[in-house]
Amino acid sequence: MSVWNPDNIRDVAESVGIASLSGEVLTALSSDVEFRLSQVLEEAFRFMRHSKRTTLSTQDITHALRMLDVEPLYGYESTRPLRFGEASIGPGQPLFYVEDEEVDFEKLINAPLPKVPREISFTAHWLAVEGVQPSIPQNPTSADSRNQELLPKGPGANSTLASISGNDAVTVKPLVKHILSKELQLYFEKICSALLDETNDEYSVAALASLRSDPGLHQLVPYFVQFIAEKVTHNLKSLFVLKQMMQLTSAMLDNEGLYVDPYVAAIVPPVLTCLVSPRLGSSSNRLEHYPLRSLAASLLGLIATKFAKSSHTLKPRLARTCLKHFLDPNKSFAVHYGAILGLQAVGGSEAVRVLIVPNLKEYGKLLQEAIEGSTPAKADAEMAIGAVLGVLEKLEDVRSTRLTNGYAVNDQENKKLLENVGELVSSRILAMGRPHLVQAVLEE
């Protein structure tokens, strides 16, 4: 016997056009409806218990219907439990309905009107231009920015990137006030003016000595890094300024009291610029920039050695950059010179053996064409071959303890050397009269 009234089943059937149903069908449908309702309620109670509630809501019924793959009932969503009233339409036939809240029209009429909402409007403004945040009322102020940021970000904040993108005149609003004492500000100005003074070498030497030994300059590190990047970018034709910036970088790296690790990514680009830039200095003297490239190579090696533990990818990235410039035949020999020295400085003798020696045969042909011709690049080619011989000597230094005195190069080794490094490089190595160097180059 089902607790569900079969008359309800008959009423629903008549509402959809089914006029006659037998008593057995009504009984079977009543039992099925009872089972389905109990199944829905069981799932709904489960949602209620998992929600840590004791009152069943319409949302629980909706979740239960969806759980049973049944389309939910719409129009009953409510954040509070529904109150049901009971009305009788006949003996033993109660009707349940949702009670509506009674509204007092007098209170509703006398209630104050709500504030008129503002009309929806849209305005456009520049959040950032080329990565630089303009100083306008719509943008965040310095009080809203993070306290740990010491310098403004974006190409306009960095004069190096600003000059490249053509935004030198963009006004930058600093994100955080970085307060420096008057003493540090005066010190920074004096150091910068001393380094850029070509007439007083003693003044410059004293400034660099102070930078190497003074431990209380940690607040000035980002300013010196930005100063170096700016001067290197804007003074590629001034070898004096470029050399002074490399000396400044060296002094910062030598100072044990300065924590430079966070600024390595900003220090490396100016050093690489002085190492592999195609044009450095004036065009009057083609060879005057090579000492600067050698200095930059030594600095690159110092950076790779000192910060290799804090940045495991630093050495591979630097070596990859130098190798890319070395293997590019369209680059000038001055660039090749810097790339060769940079590879040796970053990777040591192992980089020379693995990255430079296997490419010397093809590179020697490129050098041979320049040396045999009467082009202005002949002097640069001679400097490049000198750099190659210089880094190959590092292999001899490594192997010297395992070689014996009185060793002479035989014809077989001469032939093998010619096959490995080409005619030009092999002839220069043999002309040096150093059998140990030949043995070190041929060693696998």
Side-chain angles (χ1 to χ4, degrees):
M1 182 66 181
S2 174
V3 297
W4 192 261
N5 191 350
D7 293 337
N8 293 334
I9 305 297
R10 182 181 290 108
D11 293 340
V12 174
E14 291 177 354
S15 67
V16 296
I18 303 174
S20 60
L21 283 177
S22 63
E24 294 180 357
V25 174
L26 290 175
T27 303
L29 287 175
S30 298
S31 301
D32 187 67
V33 169
E34 180 183 351
F35 170 74
R36 300 297 178 186
L37 287 176
S38 63
Q39 192 177 15
V40 171
L41 288 174
E42 183 180 351
E43 293 293 336
F45 278 119
R46 185 177 300 171
F47 280 104
M48 180 191 72
R49 287 191 296 268
H50 280 286
S51 300
K52 309 295 183 182
R53 289 184 284 104
T54 57
T55 303
L56 192 68
S57 67
T58 57
Q59 192 71 23
D60 298 327
I61 300 295
T62 301
H63 290 321
L65 292 174
R66 288 176 176 170
M67 188 75 178
L68 297 172
D69 199 17
V70 179
E71 186 176 1
L73 301 175
Y74 300 103
Y76 294 95
E77 297 291 336
S78 176
T79 57
R80 57 184 178 178
L82 298 177
R83 293 187 304 171
F84 291 90
E86 181 180 351
S88 178
I89 60 175
Q93 294 184 355
L95 177 65
F96 295 94
Y97 63 93
V98 179
E99 292 184 354
D100 293 330
E101 183 181 358
E102 294 183 0
V103 178
D104 189 346
F105 281 102
E106 185 176 355
K107 291 183 179 180
L108 183 62
I109 293 173
N110 296 329
L113 294 176
K115 293 182 179 180
V116 179
R118 300 177 65 180
E119 294 184 2
I120 299 177
S121 62
F122 298 92
T123 58
H125 70 89
W126 289 104
L127 176 63
V129 180
E130 295 289 340
V132 182
Q133 179 177 284
S135 180
I136 57 178
Q138 290 86 349
N139 283 338
T141 61
S142 59
D144 301 327
S145 49
R146 296 179 297 177
N147 293 331
Q148 64 267 27
E149 293 182 1
L150 300 180
L151 290 175
K153 302 296 189 292
N158 189 334
S159 58
T160 306
L161 300 178
S163 63
I164 297 176
S165 58
N167 295 328
D168 301 80
V170 174
T171 302
V172 180
K173 181 178 68 174
L175 296 181
V176 177
K177 293 181 180 179
H178 190 196
I179 301 176
L180 288 176
S181 64
K182 292 184 178 180
E183 292 79 6
L184 282 178
Q185 295 180 26
L186 181 60
Y187 180 86
F188 178 75
E189 295 174 359
K190 292 295 184 181
I191 292 293
C192 294
S193 61
L195 293 176
L196 299 178
D197 187 1
E198 298 187 41
T199 61
N200 195 339
D201 292 339
E202 295 182 0
Y203 196 20
S204 175
V205 171
L208 293 173
S210 175
L211 279 173
R212 285 189 172 91
S213 58
D214 197 331
L217 305 177
H218 55 278
Q219 283 188 305
L220 292 177
V221 172
Y223 296 95
F224 279 126
V225 171
Q226 184 178 358
F227 177 71
I228 293 170
E230 178 184 354
K231 292 304 177 182
V232 170
T233 302
H234 296 296
N235 297 274
L236 291 179
K237 294 184 178 181
S238 175
L239 289 178
F240 172 79
V241 174
L242 296 178
K243 180 183 176 182
Q244 292 298 94
M245 293 304 102
M246 293 300 100
Q247 294 284 2
L248 174 57
T249 304
S250 176
M252 291 175 56
L253 296 177
D254 292 340
N255 192 331
E256 298 295 335
L258 299 182
Y259 183 62
V260 192
D261 295 54
Y263 306 99
V264 173
I267 293 176
V268 169
V271 178
L272 283 176
T273 299
C274 293
L275 181 68
V276 294
S277 179
R279 293 181 180 85
L280 294 175
S282 61
S283 57
S284 58
N285 188 349
R286 297 183 60 89
L287 304 181
E288 62 181 355
H289 56 85
Y290 284 99
L292 173 65
R293 297 183 189 272
S294 301
L295 176 60
S298 63
L299 275 179
L300 199 67
L302 177 61
I303 293 172
T305 303
K306 188 172 183 179
F307 303 104
K309 293 183 179 180
S310 59
S311 178
H312 299 291
T313 61
L314 179 61
K315 274 190 175 183
R317 286 189 285 116
L318 293 177
R320 192 181 302 113
T321 301
C322 293
L323 181 63
K324 178 182 177 181
H325 285 81
F326 172 58
L327 296 181
D328 190 350
N330 297 322
K331 299 290 185 182
S332 65
F333 290 113
V335 175
H336 294 162
Y337 176 92
I340 293 169
L341 295 185
L343 276 174
Q344 192 278 327
V346 171
S349 59
E350 190 64 24
V352 176
R353 187 181 307 280
V354 176
L355 301 178
I356 296 180
V357 173
N359 297 294
L360 285 181
K361 187 173 183 179
E362 293 298 325
Y363 186 61
K365 297 177 182 178
L366 190 66
L367 291 172
Q368 187 74 33
E369 294 178 1
I371 292 176
E372 291 179 352
S374 58
T375 60
K378 181 177 180 179
D380 294 326
E382 288 290 348
M383 294 300 298
I385 188 63
V388 170
L389 297 177
V391 298
L392 291 179
E393 290 179 356
K394 303 297 181 180
L395 297 178
E396 182 186 18
D397 296 339
V398 174
R399 309 300 298 173
S400 59
T401 56
R402 299 173 57 182
L403 299 173
T404 58
N405 294 329
Y407 176 80
V409 181
N410 54 44
D411 295 338
Q412 184 179 359
E413 289 176 334
N414 287 343
K415 184 178 179 181
K416 186 177 180 181
L417 182 66
L418 179 63
E419 294 176 354
N420 288 358
V421 300
E423 180 181 357
L424 176 63
V425 180
S426 63
S427 62
R428 294 296 180 94
I429 294 176
L430 294 175
M432 296 171 68
R434 297 167 66 173
H436 293 172
L437 178 58
V438 176
Q439 188 72 8
V441 173
L442 294 178
E443 185 156 345
E444 297 294 337

